[in-house]
């Protein structure tokens, strides 16, 4: 990583303005690279939502409002370079699998547990996006039938029950005062009974979801990233035990914490760009 910039998405300005910002930012980065004596050879862009990586189209995004935006071709035309478009979590998973905590394993499931929950299945360094660019939506499997309403409209989904937001909501409902997921983890470690209960329930719900994932994918390693994985051993140790308790015939996955942090998506975008070079 030679140079990093962070800019607000500004989704409230509408998807067209967000696209313009992405194009301006990409052109600016290429210009800075050239000014520094480098030669950009390809561009990689990753976005959230449903992404058709083959067509290079940002098909749908709840947060940004994308509807069938041909982002790959727009970027390629603006910068006059080959371009690739990817999904943020899948690209992060690709980076973790090839260069991060999954690099010693062939069958990797990257699971991002943050504001939402999503997964990326990577085998031999290749990610699988599904027929419609929507594979890996692990956050939207039912773990508690009839449970907490999910942003997608259903109930009891893993994301509604066990994301960082879910942990906060669960704690606020029991304790009567708000706390972030990180605060809940710290309070549980300090012996706060409500926090311990919330964290224990969260680990159990996550274990239910990850055992389903293991049943479907038969992974060698699960790489856990996102904000909740910042808890480190406070998450991985009890989660490993809870998964083991639930397995019957399935083989136990090795649980590891992601290594690339919130730069995984950027590194993954660069990998997609390199793969897209003619
Ligand atoms: Zn859902």
């Amino acid at each position: 990583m030679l140079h990093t910039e962070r800019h607000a998405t500004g989704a409230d300005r509408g998807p067209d303005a967000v696209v313009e910002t992405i194009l301006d930012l990409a052109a600016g980065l290429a210009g800075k690279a050239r000014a520094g004596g480098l030669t950009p050879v390809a561009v990689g862009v990753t976005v959230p939502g449903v992404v058709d990586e083959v067509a290079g189209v940002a098909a749908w995004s709840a947060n940004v409002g994308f509807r069938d935006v041909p982002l790959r071709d727009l970027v390629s035309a603006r910068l006059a370079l080959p371009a690739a478009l990817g999904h943020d979590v899948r690209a992060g998973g690709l980076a973790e699998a090839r260069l991060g905590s999954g690099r010693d394993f062939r069958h990797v499931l990257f699971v991002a547990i943050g504001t939402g929950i999503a997964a990326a299945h990577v085998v031999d360094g290749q990610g699988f996006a599904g027929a419609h660019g929507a594979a890996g939506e692990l956050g939207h499997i039912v773990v508690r039938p009839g449970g907490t309403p999910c942003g997608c409209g259903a109930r009891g989904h893993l994301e509604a029950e066990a994301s960082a937001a879910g942990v906060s909501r669960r704690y606020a409902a029991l304790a009567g005062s708000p706390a972030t997921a990180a605060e809940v983890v710290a309070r549980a470690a300090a012996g706060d009974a409500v926090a311990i209960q919330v964290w224990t329930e969260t680990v159990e719900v996550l274990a239910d979801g990850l055992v389903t994932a293991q049943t479907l994918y038969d992974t060698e390693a699960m790489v856990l990233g996102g904000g909740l994985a910042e808890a480190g051993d406070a998450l991985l140790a009890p989660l490993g035990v809870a998964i083991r308790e639930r397995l019957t015939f399935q083989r136990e996955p090795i649980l590891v914490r992601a290594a690339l942090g919130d730069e995984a998506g950027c590194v993954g975008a660069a990998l997609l760009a390199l793969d897209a070079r003619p």
Side-chain angles (χ1 to χ4, degrees):
M1 193 79 77
L2 296 174
H3 174 78
T4 318
E5 291 182 20
R6 285 174 187 270
H7 297 258
T9 307
D12 52 323
R13 300 171 301 145
D16 291 348
V18 174
V19 168
E20 278 309 310
T21 300
I22 291 171
L23 297 178
D24 288 345
L25 182 55
L29 289 170
K32 281 170 190 165
R34 290 192 180 97
L38 300 167
T39 305
V41 294
V43 196
V45 176
T46 64
V47 295
V50 177
V51 180
D52 183 339
E53 289 163 357
V54 176
V57 172
W60 181 88
S61 163
N63 300 330
V64 188
F66 290 141
R67 299 289 182 273
D68 294 324
V69 179
L71 201 46
R72 180 191 64 200
D73 290 350
L74 290 172
V75 172
S76 185
R78 175 75 177 269
L79 276 76
L81 287 170
L85 179 69
H87 176 265
D88 55 353
V89 173
R90 283 200 296 269
L94 192 68
E96 286 289 349
R98 288 195 198 170
L99 304 171
S101 297
R103 66 187 177 279
D104 295 330
F105 307 103
R106 289 184 56 207
H107 292 260
V108 174
L109 190 73
F110 172 66
V111 184
I113 313 168
T115 316
I117 296 179
H121 188 210
V122 185
V123 177
D124 290 334
Q126 294 297 317
F128 293 92
H132 313 92
E137 291 291 351
L138 188 64
H140 301 282
I141 59 170
V142 176
V143 286
R144 293 292 179 269
T148 309
C150 182
C152 75
R155 280 181 174 272
H157 283 179
L158 183 60
E159 179 169 305
E161 304 288 350
S163 62
V167 172
S168 289
R169 199 166 43 238
R170 204 181 274 270
Y171 185 85
L174 283 175
S177 63
T180 66
E183 287 166 348
V184 172
V185 173
R187 287 177 197 180
D192 176 324
V194 173
I196 289 171
Q197 182 187 337
V198 168
W199 191 241
T200 302
E201 287 172 2
T202 301
V203 166
E204 287 173 355
V205 169
L206 284 172
D208 287 338
L210 293 181
V211 166
T212 297
Q214 182 64 3
T215 307
L216 296 174
Y217 294 118
D218 183 26
T219 70
E220 199 175 358
M222 290 188 178
V223 178
L224 305 186
L228 221 57
E230 302 285 317
D233 280 345
L235 175 66
L236 264 65
L239 188 56
V241 172
I243 288 174
R244 207 167 300 135
E245 285 170 357
R246 286 162 169 76
L247 296 174
T248 54
F249 65 91
Q250 310 93 327
R251 293 288 293 271
E252 184 179 344
I254 295 166
L255 291 189
V256 286
R257 190 174 159 189
L260 303 175
D262 63 359
E263 286 182 342
C266 293
V267 175
L271 291 173
L272 292 174
L274 290 171
D275 289 351
R277 282 184 304 176

